[in-house]
Every structure is written in C-alpha cells, then in structure tokens.
Amino acid sequence: VLMMIVAITCLGMLVGGVRFWLITEPQPVSQVIVSGNHMFSDQHILRLLNLESVWNAVDPLQLSSHFQYAIFKQVVVRKIYPDKIHVIVEEHQPFVVWKFEDELRVLDENSKLLAILNQDSTSALPIIVRGAKVPMPAPKTFQQIQQIVMTLKNDAPEWQNTTIDLSDQTNIKLVYPVVEVSLGLGNYPKKIRRLQQVGVQILKQANRQHAKIDLRDPSKVYLRFGKLS
C-alpha cells in the first residue's frame, strides 16, 4: 500500500510538472487573427504589434499597450492556446480624412483628431479632404465640409465616394475618377442636389471622357468634356 501511495504521489508530481511546463513554456505564434477593423488594415495592425514575424513569447496585456491610439474605442488581445493570437478591434467612426503633406489626419464629426496615418496604413478611408496648407481645418472650413459630407450622404449617396479639393480658396471641388465638380462657396445642399439630378445623365454622355461640371451658379449647370489623361 505504501508503495502504491508513493507511486501515485510521484505520478501526480510528474503530471503537475508537465502541466506547469505547458502553461509557462512560451510557444511560437503560428497565426494572428484580426477582427472588427475597418479603418486599419490587418497588416498595419500586425505592424503596430510587431507581429509580422513569429514571437516566441506573447503577453496579451503587453500587446494591448500598443493600442494607445484615439482611433480605437477598445482593443482586446487574446491568446488562443497554444500558438494563436486573436486581436479584436473596435474603432471610433471617422468622419473625414484631412490630408496634410504626406499625413492622413483622421477626424471625427466634431473635428477631433483621432489618428495620424501614413498612406498605406488603412484598408478603407472616408472622404478625403486635400489641398489644404494647414495641419487642421479652421472651424468655418470644417462647417463647410460637414455640410457637404452630410448632404452627399443623405441626398446624393451615389456621389459620396469623393475627394474634396480645397486648393482653390474660392472654389471647393468634388473630385472623382472621371468627373470634377466645382461647387464654389456656399449653398452646397442645393448644388449637390442638382448634381444628383443631372449627374447620371452627364456620366452617360462622358463615356471615356473627363467631365467638368460647374455648379457655382445654383440656377445653371455648365459642362465641359475633355480627354482622360
């Protein structure tokens, strides 16, 4: 009986030791799963975590500390034993991207800066505002952008995948692959609704040409076609 007790005790110590080794021994990461991301690409998140290559030891709490960015509401990093990592991302909803020099400055609907990105950081972007020479929009400028963006989303959804060009201070433009729309300054809802009314027909006429639509006069539409460069 004594021999059996000793044998069972030794077996228990052996199993406990093996289990302790399995828990504490770091395992190479074979796969990182990213979910919940819309603005950031999987590759960019892996770069933030330094997980493009295999780590020999992974501490989820340490990984979560990499995500101290305003663009994220929450980031949860979980280890799936023995050799996988799951990164769950919840992002704030971006409103526009303010392009300044080589930076993409992601702003929310109140003009708060959420993140500063490089050109290759994201998989999807909202409307980009380009042509400005200042790092952040002035309140009046942002009010104009808000009015244009909200009118596009509500009244002309087919035209909301655009770039807003502010390079001419007297003429705000909407830029598309084959169409450029001049809005001038002010009265944006009426002009964008006019674009919604006439735009589809203009695109049919444009075919493989570049169309310039001038809506600066709210009561008229000026149209010019040219060859695509």
Side-chain angles (χ1 to χ4, degrees), residues 150-166:
M150 295 310 299
T151 305
L152 285 168
K153 289 183 177 180
N154 295 330
D155 298 338
E158 297 89 346
W159 294 88
Q160 65 178 322
N161 295 324
T162 186
T163 296
I164 300 175
D165 190 339
L166 304 181

Side-chain angles (χ1 to χ4, degrees), residues 4 7 54 75 118 121 137 155 172 186 207 218:
M4 290 181 62
V54 173
V75 176
N118 295 321
S121 300
D155 298 338
I172 294 179
N207 196 7

Side-chain angles (χ1 to χ4, degrees), residues 25-179:
E25 181 70 15
Q27 298 292 313
V29 177
S30 66
Q31 183 182 8
V32 181
I33 305 163
V34 181
S35 62
N37 52 314
H38 301 287
M39 276 288 297
F40 285 93
S41 65
D42 291 0
Q43 290 73 22
H44 184 70
I45 288 177
L46 296 185
R47 284 199 296 272
L48 287 177
L49 286 173
N50 194 24
L51 278 176
E52 290 180 292
S53 57
V54 173
W55 275 21
N56 288 327
V58 175
D59 179 355
L61 293 177
Q62 182 182 3
L63 293 184
S64 295
S65 68
H66 285 263
F67 285 98
Q68 302 303 315
Y69 298 96
I71 190 69
F72 299 114
K73 285 184 180 179
Q74 184 180 22
V75 176
V76 177
V77 182
R78 294 174 179 165
K79 182 165 184 177
I80 305 173
Y81 285 95
D83 59 354
K84 293 182 176 65
I85 293 294
H86 187 191
V87 181
I88 306 166
V89 177
E90 183 182 2
E91 300 169 340
H92 286 287
Q93 184 64 40
F95 186 67
V96 294
V97 171
W98 182 264
K99 189 175 186 301
F100 176 67
E101 296 179 347
D102 292 330
E103 294 179 345
L104 300 174
R105 297 176 167 239
V106 184
L107 309 180
D108 70 6
E109 60 185 5
N110 297 312
S111 188
K112 177 184 175 182
L113 179 64
L114 297 178
I116 299 176
L117 311 176
N118 295 321
Q119 296 282 4
D120 62 345
S121 300
T122 63
S123 56
L125 286 173
I127 290 175
I128 295 178
V129 182
R130 74 181 189 193
K133 298 180 180 179
V134 292
M136 291 289 287
K140 182 179 179 181
T141 302
F142 194 75
Q143 288 175 1
Q144 293 175 318
I145 293 169
Q146 281 180 313
Q147 193 175 37
I148 291 170
V149 171
M150 295 310 299
T151 305
L152 285 168
K153 289 183 177 180
N154 295 330
D155 298 338
E158 297 89 346
W159 294 88
Q160 65 178 322
N161 295 324
T162 186
T163 296
I164 300 175
D165 190 339
L166 304 181
S167 55
D168 183 346
Q169 296 183 0
T170 64
N171 180 24
I172 294 179
K173 297 177 183 177
L174 306 179
V175 181
Y176 303 88
V178 296
V179 177

Side-chain angles (χ1 to χ4, degrees), residues 162-205:
T162 186
T163 296
I164 300 175
D165 190 339
L166 304 181
S167 55
D168 183 346
Q169 296 183 0
T170 64
N171 180 24
I172 294 179
K173 297 177 183 177
L174 306 179
V175 181
Y176 303 88
V178 296
V179 177
E180 180 182 283
V181 182
S182 293
L183 297 178
L185 297 176
N187 211 356
Y188 305 114
K190 183 175 181 179
K191 294 173 182 177
I192 290 172
R193 284 192 284 268
R194 175 63 65 88
L195 174 66
Q196 176 71 3
Q197 293 169 356
V198 304
V200 174
Q201 187 61 35
I202 290 173
L203 286 178
K204 289 180 180 178
Q205 294 178 32

